Amino acid sequence: MTGSVDRVSGSPGEALPGWTGRWAIGSDHCLDPDPAPVGLRSRDELESDDINALGALAEALDDALTSGSWRTLDSTPLLSGHNDATFELQRRERDLETQLASLARICERFITRLGERAELLPVARVRRPARRALERLGAHTEDWAGRTLAGPVPRRAMAITRENDPDIYENRMVAELVHPILSTALAQRIHQLSRVRDDLADLTRAEDEGTYSRRNRIYRFWGEDAQHAAVSSNQVRQTLRTLEALAARIQNLRGSTLVRLMRGRRTGQRTLRRTNVIENDRNYHAAGLLWTAFEKEPIVEESPEERRRRLKHRHQSFDNYVLGLVVRALNDLGYQPADDQIPSGGSPVTLSGPWGQVVLDRDDASVLTIRSNGTNTRFVPLLDFLSTDDKPETISERWQSVHKASTGLTVVVYLAASDAALRVQDGQAMPLTSAGLDTPNDSESTTAVPVSPLETTSLERLARAVAIAVQTPALAAYPVPITLPTGRIPRRLIDHLTKAAVTRRGLSPLFYRRDPDHLDLRRPLTRDESVNLDHVLQQLIERTGSAGWERDLVREIAGLSEAITTASNAVRPLLTCPSCEHKADTTQIPRDDDTLLVVCQSCNTSWGHHRCGQCQSRIPFIEPERKVRNPDVNGPGWVERILGRDALASPCWARTAPIRYICPTCRVCPVTGTPGGSNCTRCSDLR
């Protein structure tokens, strides 16, 4: 199989194992599939519940993209199958429940036709000789009992026997209805409802699992509350029990007398032929009704161009679905465009939010880029990155190809159930299930998140990737440099400001000096500090007329007030709580170095930086709760299940102490290699 991953790197890349198509920059994606080797199928030919669910959303997504409206896309449904029509028995399933007794009766007491066949029988049993029986007798002396002058005395002869033959159209119809029509339809429906049941179980578990904020977001995305989720879950379980009972009865019919006699004979037709028996016999009429209800769509010949368009639309639908999730995530984070528009090729959208401005761009290949504080994060939709029949080694090999072809911070968004990537080993599953930089290899900057219209938690997984792309650069840009229009602040001026009594007594330092030639602002000024600063600047302005060093820095002194005001406006958004958007006061910043720590007085969320004990890098974090709950939930993807998008850096997997974070720079947490991390899956992989 051949292919390239131009969408990942933006330039020709290595072939991805398991792909049978050529990837190209542009919206066509995998449009010109190469013929698959003998015995292998193209990945585009694979079907799944997730792809079918995506197809159910395609029309609404197309309309939203056509409208070009941000609000329209934000309100477009992104879940499929989560409605009462799915939870309840379908009409044809209720008909099957009613008519199944008639089908079972036919399978044991079926009509036949009177058939004839020629067979060799002892003379005493011959009632009607077969045509040309005498010619055969003359040619086969072994069938003679003796000879007389009148001729041979026959011992056996060819005779015509009559029998009841079940091989008629109506019985073939019933046998085909039992299997594969009914057995396949029920199996598919049971599998689909099982996915919905599992998702509703996730919603139900959210009452006792994960943070309060995550729980509220999940229910808001689903559209209902916990009580309705419990009711829907019970309804789905009841429907599943009914369908599983019907499937078991259909399975028993596959061993019935009629089905065994038919030996897999088929009608050769996809639509029902109305015969007198089907119209007039009560039981066969019921079977005919079931055939009509469950009959398959007629096979339509598909030209290469039609197939190309179909596959193109499938990939575009997934691209639109990913864009919808990103828009929903940004909206939940409080980021909105000034104009009601969505990004398109060459037309990025600037969004304003609690922590400043970000830019969302979408190129012609539907790759999304979020720009925040000078950092770009790319979101690459890959519809067929992973399928249900992929082996672990195939998944691992394909991921390595994607990783090698990626440039910069990249999040691969692929269509799959949440447990799909867990078939590989934990170390390899880490980057395939979470946007957090948890992998031991500190050179990897590519992560992946599975999404599906059948899973409510898809939004939380992708929303964490969006939050990391938006909020981590904002925290990394702290403290804010104070810069003049003429360039950096002269050292003499920095010395004077740091020694002047600008900071109010009892508060943390206002300025941070990372080196002799740079001055940063740690927090907005209080009213008293603004008065103090004005007094200091006024004194400097007055001294510009003297013979001191001040007269050489007239322009710099004149622009200093505006520069500090600009820096103050830039650092102020970081005082907004990322959970409830409550604005903290500048007096609530306790530290004195280049790290930030703010605790929300409304919801008790804390955010800012921790210092890595290994490499001394700053670790941006958001902490909605002091203690990470549900220690029984662990393994790859656990952070999204407990904290969701509220976690920037990942808490240590061991959870043996108050929250400790994995450093996104060196990928080490404080308990790595210690007895506290001995039982941690991730830490044990590092030893």
mmCIF file of all heavy atoms in Angstrom, residues 616-637:
data_model
loop_
_atom_site.group_PDB
_atom_site.id
_atom_site.type_symbol
_atom_site.label_atom_id
_atom_site.label_comp_id
_atom_site.label_asym_id
_atom_site.label_seq_id
_atom_site.Cartn_x
_atom_site.Cartn_y
_atom_site.Cartn_z
ATOM 1 N N GLN A 616 14.095 22.603 35.604
ATOM 2 C CA GLN A 616 13.822 23.964 36.069
ATOM 3 C C GLN A 616 12.935 24.767 35.123
ATOM 4 O O GLN A 616 12.826 25.996 35.251
ATOM 5 C CB GLN A 616 15.131 24.726 36.328
ATOM 6 C CG GLN A 616 16.015 24.091 37.385
ATOM 7 C CD GLN A 616 15.304 23.928 38.712
ATOM 8 O OE1 GLN A 616 14.727 24.875 39.240
ATOM 9 N NE2 GLN A 616 15.312 22.704 39.240
ATOM 10 N N SER A 617 12.319 24.090 34.141
ATOM 11 C CA SER A 617 11.394 24.798 33.257
ATOM 12 C C SER A 617 10.093 25.095 33.999
ATOM 13 O O SER A 617 9.748 24.446 34.990
ATOM 14 C CB SER A 617 11.086 23.943 32.022
ATOM 15 O OG SER A 617 12.241 23.707 31.269
ATOM 16 N N ARG A 618 9.376 26.081 33.499
ATOM 17 C CA ARG A 618 8.063 26.379 34.068
ATOM 18 C C ARG A 618 7.022 25.429 33.477
ATOM 19 O O ARG A 618 7.039 25.149 32.282
ATOM 20 C CB ARG A 618 7.680 27.825 33.793
ATOM 21 C CG ARG A 618 8.574 28.841 34.479
ATOM 22 C CD ARG A 618 8.106 30.253 34.183
ATOM 23 N NE ARG A 618 8.043 30.514 32.745
ATOM 24 C CZ ARG A 618 7.476 31.584 32.195
ATOM 25 N NH1 ARG A 618 6.903 32.489 32.964
ATOM 26 N NH2 ARG A 618 7.475 31.756 30.894
ATOM 27 N N ILE A 619 6.120 24.949 34.303
ATOM 28 C CA ILE A 619 5.058 24.038 33.870
ATOM 29 C C ILE A 619 3.735 24.788 33.974
ATOM 30 O O ILE A 619 3.216 25.010 35.075
ATOM 31 C CB ILE A 619 5.009 22.771 34.742
ATOM 32 C CG1 ILE A 619 6.362 22.063 34.750
ATOM 33 C CG2 ILE A 619 3.903 21.844 34.268
ATOM 34 C CD1 ILE A 619 6.416 20.866 35.674
ATOM 35 N N PRO A 620 3.144 25.224 32.853
ATOM 36 C CA PRO A 620 1.838 25.889 32.914
ATOM 37 C C PRO A 620 0.766 24.899 33.381
ATOM 38 O O PRO A 620 0.710 23.764 32.906
ATOM 39 C CB PRO A 620 1.590 26.329 31.466
ATOM 40 C CG PRO A 620 2.936 26.280 30.802
ATOM 41 C CD PRO A 620 3.679 25.180 31.483
ATOM 42 N N PHE A 621 -0.066 25.321 34.296
ATOM 43 C CA PHE A 621 -1.086 24.401 34.813
ATOM 44 C C PHE A 621 -2.379 25.153 35.091
ATOM 45 O O PHE A 621 -2.412 26.367 35.304
ATOM 46 C CB PHE A 621 -0.596 23.731 36.105
ATOM 47 C CG PHE A 621 -0.695 24.614 37.318
ATOM 48 C CD1 PHE A 621 -1.806 24.564 38.162
ATOM 49 C CD2 PHE A 621 0.307 25.534 37.617
ATOM 50 C CE1 PHE A 621 -1.897 25.388 39.273
ATOM 51 C CE2 PHE A 621 0.222 26.357 38.723
ATOM 52 C CZ PHE A 621 -0.890 26.285 39.559
ATOM 53 N N ILE A 622 -3.468 24.388 35.069
ATOM 54 C CA ILE A 622 -4.766 24.836 35.580
ATOM 55 C C ILE A 622 -5.247 23.725 36.500
ATOM 56 O O ILE A 622 -5.230 22.547 36.133
ATOM 57 C CB ILE A 622 -5.785 25.087 34.455
ATOM 58 C CG1 ILE A 622 -5.347 26.269 33.591
ATOM 59 C CG2 ILE A 622 -7.167 25.349 35.026
ATOM 60 C CD1 ILE A 622 -6.260 26.529 32.406
ATOM 61 N N GLU A 623 -5.671 24.103 37.692
ATOM 62 C CA GLU A 623 -6.020 23.124 38.717
ATOM 63 C C GLU A 623 -7.429 23.424 39.226
ATOM 64 O O GLU A 623 -7.608 24.241 40.135
ATOM 65 C CB GLU A 623 -4.997 23.209 39.844
ATOM 66 C CG GLU A 623 -5.014 22.073 40.829
ATOM 67 C CD GLU A 623 -3.862 22.208 41.799
ATOM 68 O OE1 GLU A 623 -2.710 21.951 41.383
ATOM 69 O OE2 GLU A 623 -4.101 22.594 42.955
ATOM 70 N N PRO A 624 -8.468 22.770 38.656
ATOM 71 C CA PRO A 624 -9.842 23.058 39.101
ATOM 72 C C PRO A 624 -10.118 22.576 40.515
ATOM 73 O O PRO A 624 -10.978 23.116 41.199
ATOM 74 C CB PRO A 624 -10.708 22.325 38.078
ATOM 75 C CG PRO A 624 -9.828 21.256 37.534
ATOM 76 C CD PRO A 624 -8.429 21.798 37.563
ATOM 77 N N GLU A 625 -9.399 21.537 40.954
ATOM 78 C CA GLU A 625 -9.559 21.009 42.305
ATOM 79 C C GLU A 625 -8.193 20.654 42.860
ATOM 80 O O GLU A 625 -7.309 20.219 42.115
ATOM 81 C CB GLU A 625 -10.464 19.774 42.315
ATOM 82 C CG GLU A 625 -11.891 20.058 41.870
ATOM 83 C CD GLU A 625 -12.740 18.805 41.839
ATOM 84 O OE1 GLU A 625 -12.188 17.707 42.071
ATOM 85 O OE2 GLU A 625 -13.959 18.912 41.604
ATOM 86 N N ARG A 626 -8.033 20.815 44.142
ATOM 87 C CA ARG A 626 -6.729 20.571 44.747
ATOM 88 C C ARG A 626 -6.338 19.103 44.677
ATOM 89 O O ARG A 626 -5.179 18.763 44.430
ATOM 90 C CB ARG A 626 -6.751 21.046 46.202
ATOM 91 C CG ARG A 626 -5.451 20.818 46.970
ATOM 92 C CD ARG A 626 -4.298 21.520 46.295
ATOM 93 N NE ARG A 626 -3.030 21.288 46.999
ATOM 94 C CZ ARG A 626 -1.851 21.502 46.458
ATOM 95 N NH1 ARG A 626 -1.773 21.957 45.225
ATOM 96 N NH2 ARG A 626 -0.750 21.282 47.134
ATOM 97 N N LYS A 627 -7.278 18.209 44.871
ATOM 98 C CA LYS A 627 -6.995 16.783 44.869
ATOM 99 C C LYS A 627 -7.620 16.138 43.641
ATOM 100 O O LYS A 627 -8.802 16.347 43.352
ATOM 101 C CB LYS A 627 -7.537 16.125 46.139
ATOM 102 C CG LYS A 627 -7.201 14.651 46.260
ATOM 103 C CD LYS A 627 -7.729 14.087 47.573
ATOM 104 C CE LYS A 627 -7.398 12.600 47.695
ATOM 105 N NZ LYS A 627 -7.923 12.027 48.961
ATOM 106 N N VAL A 628 -6.826 15.367 42.907
ATOM 107 C CA VAL A 628 -7.350 14.670 41.724
ATOM 108 C C VAL A 628 -8.174 13.478 42.189
ATOM 109 O O VAL A 628 -7.668 12.601 42.895
ATOM 110 C CB VAL A 628 -6.199 14.205 40.809
ATOM 111 C CG1 VAL A 628 -6.765 13.481 39.592
ATOM 112 C CG2 VAL A 628 -5.374 15.397 40.359
ATOM 113 N N ARG A 629 -9.424 13.445 41.805
ATOM 114 C CA ARG A 629 -10.336 12.411 42.282
ATOM 115 C C ARG A 629 -10.246 11.141 41.441
ATOM 116 O O ARG A 629 -9.551 11.083 40.437
ATOM 117 C CB ARG A 629 -11.765 12.934 42.281
ATOM 118 C CG ARG A 629 -12.239 13.400 40.907
ATOM 119 C CD ARG A 629 -13.685 13.839 40.935
ATOM 120 N NE ARG A 629 -13.853 15.087 41.675
ATOM 121 C CZ ARG A 629 -15.031 15.536 42.093
ATOM 122 N NH1 ARG A 629 -16.126 14.841 41.862
ATOM 123 N NH2 ARG A 629 -15.114 16.686 42.736
ATOM 124 N N ASN A 630 -10.998 10.126 41.848
ATOM 125 C CA ASN A 630 -11.115 8.848 41.149
ATOM 126 C C ASN A 630 -9.767 8.214 40.822
ATOM 127 O O ASN A 630 -9.413 8.041 39.648
ATOM 128 C CB ASN A 630 -11.928 9.009 39.862
ATOM 129 C CG ASN A 630 -13.310 9.573 40.112
ATOM 130 O OD1 ASN A 630 -13.538 10.755 39.891
ATOM 131 N ND2 ASN A 630 -14.206 8.744 40.604
ATOM 132 N N PRO A 631 -8.992 7.826 41.833
ATOM 133 C CA PRO A 631 -7.693 7.191 41.554
ATOM 134 C C PRO A 631 -7.818 5.845 40.853
ATOM 135 O O PRO A 631 -6.842 5.350 40.303
ATOM 136 C CB PRO A 631 -7.072 7.026 42.953
ATOM 137 C CG PRO A 631 -8.231 7.048 43.899
ATOM 138 C CD PRO A 631 -9.246 7.961 43.284
ATOM 139 N N ASP A 632 -9.029 5.263 40.851
ATOM 140 C CA ASP A 632 -9.213 3.980 40.168
ATOM 141 C C ASP A 632 -9.222 4.136 38.655
ATOM 142 O O ASP A 632 -9.055 3.157 37.920
ATOM 143 C CB ASP A 632 -10.526 3.326 40.615
ATOM 144 C CG ASP A 632 -11.714 4.264 40.448
ATOM 145 O OD1 ASP A 632 -11.618 5.419 40.905
ATOM 146 O OD2 ASP A 632 -12.727 3.845 39.874
ATOM 147 N N VAL A 633 -9.438 5.355 38.154
ATOM 148 C CA VAL A 633 -9.403 5.610 36.715
ATOM 149 C C VAL A 633 -7.963 5.951 36.343
ATOM 150 O O VAL A 633 -7.417 6.959 36.790
ATOM 151 C CB VAL A 633 -10.341 6.774 36.324
ATOM 152 C CG1 VAL A 633 -10.261 7.041 34.832
ATOM 153 C CG2 VAL A 633 -11.765 6.458 36.739
ATOM 154 N N ASN A 634 -7.328 5.113 35.561
ATOM 155 C CA ASN A 634 -5.930 5.344 35.225
ATOM 156 C C ASN A 634 -5.642 4.848 33.821
ATOM 157 O O ASN A 634 -6.535 4.392 33.112
ATOM 158 C CB ASN A 634 -5.011 4.647 36.241
ATOM 159 C CG ASN A 634 -5.418 3.212 36.486
ATOM 160 O OD1 ASN A 634 -5.729 2.486 35.545
ATOM 161 N ND2 ASN A 634 -5.438 2.798 37.742
ATOM 162 N N GLY A 635 -4.383 4.933 33.420
ATOM 163 C CA GLY A 635 -3.990 4.527 32.082
ATOM 164 C C GLY A 635 -4.099 5.663 31.089
ATOM 165 O O GLY A 635 -4.553 6.773 31.419
ATOM 166 N N PRO A 636 -3.682 5.434 29.843
ATOM 167 C CA PRO A 636 -3.739 6.479 28.819
ATOM 168 C C PRO A 636 -5.146 7.066 28.678
ATOM 169 O O PRO A 636 -6.133 6.333 28.622
ATOM 170 C CB PRO A 636 -3.309 5.742 27.540
ATOM 171 C CG PRO A 636 -2.467 4.618 28.027
ATOM 172 C CD PRO A 636 -3.076 4.184 29.325
ATOM 173 N N GLY A 637 -5.233 8.377 28.635
ATOM 174 C CA GLY A 637 -6.512 9.061 28.470
ATOM 175 C C GLY A 637 -7.244 9.368 29.763
ATOM 176 O O GLY A 637 -8.330 9.962 29.731
#
